[in-house]
Amino acid sequence: MGWPPVRLRRPPVLQSKLLCLSLLYLLTTLPPALYVSFSGGPGRRCLRLLPARGASPAANKLALFRYPPGYGEHKHALPTTRARCSASHVVFAEYKTVLEDINGLCRNLSASASTSSSSSSVLRYLGGRRATFAGNFSADERRSFFRHTDGGVAVPCGFFKEFPVQEADRLTMEKCAGVVVASAILNDYDKIRQPRGLGAATLATACFFMFIDDATHEVLARQGILSAQDDRRGGATVVVVGAWRVVRLRAGGLPYENPAMNGVVAKHLLHRLFPKARFSVWVDAKMQLTVDPLLLVHALLVAEGADMAVSRHPFNLHAMEEAVATARWRKWGDVGAIRAQMETYCANGLQPWSSTKLPYPSDVPDTAVIIRRHGLASDLFSCLLFNELEAFNPRDQLAFAYVRDQMSPRLSINMFEAEVLEHIAVEYRHNLKLDGGGVRGKQGVTRMASSRDITGSSCERYLLKMWGESAE
């Protein structure tokens, strides 16, 4: 008599395929999650949030906004290469404290501005009409405004020609009296990206404006993004896409043929477009904020007592290094003009970076995100820099140190670590378009420079000093 057959049965817990998959997912994701939690994660190594007292008011109000399939809002994000900060952390205060502090500062600054409109602390702008938007001043004329010691002297700051903003938009822009967050997409070069991590009161506290031109408007309308967000406010049609109020610049009225130059009007003259704004956050359209802009203003600007906060460039230290990279990679097509620009700057006092320039840690910023406290020094710097951009090209990193080092009053800048920029914003690729035989922006091979090229140049001393071959 043999043994009856033995039938093995799986435990009940393993009979459910869904349960098995869930257990497998848990086992594979739990170790990384524990690691991130205890190590602080890549982002938290750069950014720290002070513990909130009670419930946190932070809430993302944009969760209901959805882009149409195929628009590609989140396509082509560039990976970050820096896992941790090389310097100290950036500490964000509690959201409620930030909100109270910024609202208080805006009220105080507004009251101060209304009572001191005739004092030397308020920048005056040169008016009238000229052939170009910035006036086409000569190099000597532009330099004559660098040292602003007389409050009665008006400074050229663009708008010698009209900037094509519709009346309804202009009136709304002039009412923005606190923090303005601005960006621009011209020639359909980027996509609208929604800021992430906004606090519950941020949309009611800060103004978000996105400037677009006709080419961009055509694509957005075809995608159904603009028509789905039309609304009526105050009797005028307002287009809102998530957080952004979209401002369409009138056809035929743009001051420059080059879209990049039209973009720098919004980028560097926000204090003129939003005359009552006390703080501004500029965000290149290739960037997507991942931190509430009020936290950025408070931590990177207010807490540091700075006029401006901007990231230093991750690779280049000297302005000439950035000029060479601009020419080598054809970021601006006219290489001869870049050389003429740097020759002009060297002849008028531009020096390579050295420890004598401290507390400025670098001569080259990454201007994808710029945070400003609107005031005399910051506004003057923006005006002077913009004048240089019209005179040469829209590559603002080339003129940055030249203007900063020679202007007066001195500008206080928090040039924070490049790692911080990668943790407060995500960078995306531009919309690449074929132009002729290749990708837009690609041009011929640039001839490499030789040592003979600098002989007799006004930049010869600059380069020798930068290379450590001169004691001067």
Side-chain angles (χ1 to χ4, degrees):
M1 182 175 179
W3 292 97
V6 178
R7 181 175 297 175
L8 298 178
R9 299 184 62 185
R10 290 180 298 175
V13 72
L14 297 180
Q15 293 182 15
S16 170
K17 293 183 179 180
L18 180 60
L19 184 58
C20 289
L21 291 175
S22 299
L23 288 172
L24 179 63
Y25 177 80
L26 178 63
L27 291 174
T28 56
T29 58
L30 185 59
L34 290 174
Y35 170 78
V36 170
S37 298
F38 286 106
S39 67
R44 293 186 183 181
R45 291 173 188 159
C46 264
L47 313 177
R48 285 166 47 190
L49 183 66
L50 290 181
R53 297 184 298 274
S56 172
N60 194 338
K61 287 192 172 184
L62 303 180
L64 296 179
F65 184 84
R66 292 289 183 268
Y67 287 92
Y71 179 67
E73 183 220 358
H74 298 293
K75 291 181 180 178
H76 311 303
L78 299 179
T80 58
T81 58
R82 298 166 183 82
R84 62 176 68 244
C85 284
S86 58
S88 59
H89 295 67
V90 175
V91 180
F92 295 127
E94 181 188 355
Y95 178 79
K96 182 179 179 182
T97 301
V98 170
L99 201 61
E100 293 174 350
D101 287 352
I102 289 182
N103 283 332
L105 284 169
C106 290
R107 286 193 298 269
N108 293 338
L109 289 170
S110 297
S112 174
S114 63
T115 58
S116 60
S117 59
S118 60
S119 72
S120 59
S121 62
V122 177
L123 196 62
R124 299 177 181 276
Y125 305 115
L126 197 62
R129 288 286 182 237
R130 284 178 170 259
T132 66
F133 186 79
N136 194 27
F137 291 89
S138 68
D140 289 339
E141 288 174 326
R142 297 195 305 274
R143 281 179 53 81
S144 69
F145 295 100
F146 274 31
R147 296 193 175 276
H148 188 74
T149 57
D150 185 355
V153 175
V155 175
C157 194
F159 295 93
F160 292 105
K161 296 179 71 176
E162 185 181 6
F163 194 61
V165 175
Q166 298 183 31
E167 185 68 10
D169 291 323
R170 184 184 65 80
L171 292 175
T172 303
M173 290 160 59
E174 291 179 353
K175 292 178 181 177
C176 180
V179 178
V180 59
V181 183
S183 188
I185 303 176
L186 302 176
N187 203 27
D188 187 38
Y189 202 46
D190 293 284
K191 297 184 182 298
I192 294 182
R193 311 195 187 280
Q194 297 301 327
R196 303 203 310 254
L198 298 186
T202 299
L203 290 178
T205 304
C207 315
F208 289 77
F209 280 83
M210 174 69 70
F211 297 91
I212 67 171
D213 60 1
D214 284 345
T216 307
H217 183 275
E218 179 182 350
V219 174
L220 294 176
R222 190 166 62 244
Q223 292 282 352
I225 292 174
L226 299 179
S227 59
Q229 297 296 320
D230 282 354
D231 191 15
R232 288 274 180 181
R233 298 182 184 179
T237 300
V238 176
V239 179
V240 179
V241 179
W244 301 103
R245 170 166 176 158
V246 178
V247 176
R248 182 181 180 181
L249 302 177
R250 293 197 305 269
L254 290 167
Y256 301 104
E257 293 183 3
N258 186 296
M261 269 307 302
N262 290 320
V264 299
V265 174
K267 182 174 185 177
H268 291 291
L269 299 184
L270 287 176
H271 62 289
R272 298 217 60 187
L273 292 169
F274 300 86
K276 292 184 179 179
R278 301 308 167 196
F279 300 96
S280 65
V281 180
W282 168 263
V283 185
D284 275 4
K286 67 179 180 180
M287 310 297 290
Q288 179 183 33
L289 285 183
T290 57
V291 175
D292 189 300
L294 300 184
L295 295 180
L296 298 180
V297 170
H298 193 270
L300 298 176
L301 201 68
V302 175
E304 298 291 332
D307 299 310
M308 175 184 295
V310 65
S311 167
R312 67 188 74 172
H313 195 278
F315 307 114
N316 298 330
L317 177 66
H318 306 286
M320 195 64 68
E321 291 177 318
E322 181 63 23
V324 171
T326 301
R328 179 67 183 88
W329 299 109
R330 294 285 181 163
K331 297 179 182 179
W332 183 250
D334 192 344
V335 177
I338 295 175
R339 175 164 184 159
Q341 177 183 13
M342 302 313 293
E343 292 273 4
T344 300
Y345 291 169
C346 291
N348 286 286
L350 177 66
Q351 295 292 323
W353 186 90
S354 68
S355 59
T356 61
K357 291 192 177 186
L358 291 173
Y360 302 137
S362 172
D363 277 357
V364 186
D366 185 331
T367 59
V369 175
I370 308 176
I371 308 166
R372 300 180 180 93
R373 181 201 305 263
H374 293 186
L376 177 62
S378 174
D379 295 351
L380 178 64
F381 174 77
S382 297
C383 294
L384 298 175
L385 181 62
F386 181 80
N387 294 339
E388 295 301 317
L389 301 185
E390 186 189 77
F392 293 104
N393 59 72
R395 304 298 302 178
D396 50 15
Q397 295 159 309
L398 302 184
F400 183 87
Y402 171 70
V403 174
R404 179 201 65 189
D405 294 346
Q406 300 189 58
M407 66 168 281
S408 178
R410 190 173 174 84
L411 185 69
S412 173
I413 307 180
N414 174 19
M415 294 191 74
F416 51 84
E417 298 284 345
E419 294 92 332
V420 174
L421 178 62
E422 290 191 349
H423 290 119
I424 64 174
V426 178
E427 182 178 355
Y428 290 79
R429 299 185 189 278
H430 294 297
N431 296 339
L432 300 180
K433 296 181 178 181
L434 293 180
D435 183 13
V439 176
R440 179 172 62 183
K442 286 281 187 180
Q443 300 185 37
V445 177
T446 304
R447 179 182 65 85
M448 299 300 289
S450 69
S451 59
R452 296 189 302 273
D453 291 336
I454 69 170
T455 304
S457 164
S458 61
C459 290
E460 180 177 3
R461 182 175 298 179
Y462 177 106
L463 291 168
L464 293 175
K465 187 175 180 179
M466 185 180 77
W467 292 331
E469 298 180 12
S470 172
E472 298 182 20

